[in-house]
Amino acid sequence: RPNDGVQPLSFWADAKYSATEHGTALIKKMFGTSSVFSYPKSIYAVEDCLKVAGADKIGSLVIDYFAGSATTGHAVLNLNRKDKGKRKFVLVEQGQYFDQVNKPRVLKAAFSSQ
């Protein structure tokens, strides 16, 4: 958030970065409930973070060691879909999230943009 009198280097205040609107609501749409993962990030925030971090290059490799709800994998798939890229990703997660959230979300996102 901006401080008075200081010009921020970046300022991400767009509504598309809302975790409630584009994180939790997306999980609910994909799984029929939002209880599978609490407070997932906005898909658009992660897509833009990936672009800023250099994954705007079509052949990038993205590694997420704390995959959580697999938003990073979903975002990479979306970027590839938009520009016909060949980005790859590695998601690392432990415990129940892999079978209950990560794998189903990545499969759904890989086979359908909706």
Side-chain angles (χ1 to χ4, degrees), residues 17-94:
Y17 301 127
S18 166
T20 303
E21 301 282 325
H22 303 289
T24 304
L26 180 59
I27 288 290
K28 187 172 183 175
K29 184 177 176 183
M30 292 180 88
F31 290 90
T33 179
S34 60
S35 66
V36 294
F37 194 87
S38 60
Y39 210 71
K41 293 172 193 68
S42 163
I43 188 76
Y44 302 111
V46 176
E47 285 177 16
D48 286 354
C49 283
L50 291 172
K51 290 175 190 174
V52 168
D56 56 333
K57 295 170 187 68
I58 291 178
S60 298
L61 172 63
V62 176
I63 301 173
D64 185 350
Y65 285 100
F66 301 98
S69 67
T71 304
T72 301
H74 191 165
V76 169
L77 291 167
N78 283 354
L79 292 175
N80 283 341
R81 193 174 279 120
K82 287 177 187 173
D83 65 8
K84 305 218 186 310
K86 303 246 186 258
R87 293 170 195 85
K88 297 178 182 176
F89 60 90
V90 175
L91 303 179
V92 179
E93 189 55 69
Q94 63 182 3

